[in-house]
Amino acid sequence: MPEPDDGAAPAAIPTWAVEQAREELYDVRDPAVIEERAREIARDHHEREDERHDEYDDPDEGGEA
């Protein structure tokens, strides 16, 4: 059985996340460190968006029934 990461191209990191990572890590020159932080920023953003969207879909939270 293939591993989940086998042959899968890494998802492109949004430009806005890379820029934000560069701003946060202004004294870091290592592209791998900046890229990792950008991935974290993008992942956190998507999680917040998903939670915000779910809030409107959950009847227990006042969302749609």
Side-chain angles (χ1 to χ4, degrees), residues 26-53:
Y26 62 89
D27 60 343
V28 175
R29 298 285 181 232
D30 185 350
V33 173
I34 294 170
E35 181 178 306
E36 180 60 32
R37 178 60 186 138
R39 287 186 195 282
E40 290 173 3
I41 291 168
R43 185 173 39 249
D44 291 348
H45 172 76
H46 290 297
E47 286 177 6
R48 279 192 309 274
E49 285 297 311
D50 288 344
E51 288 175 9
R52 188 173 65 89
H53 177 71

Side-chain angles (χ1 to χ4, degrees), residues 1 4 8 13 16 24 28 30 32 34 43 50 54 56 58-59:
M1 179 175 215
I13 304 170
W16 60 265
E24 288 181 12
V28 175
D30 185 350
I34 294 170
R43 185 173 39 249
D50 288 344
D54 290 345
Y56 298 112
D58 188 352

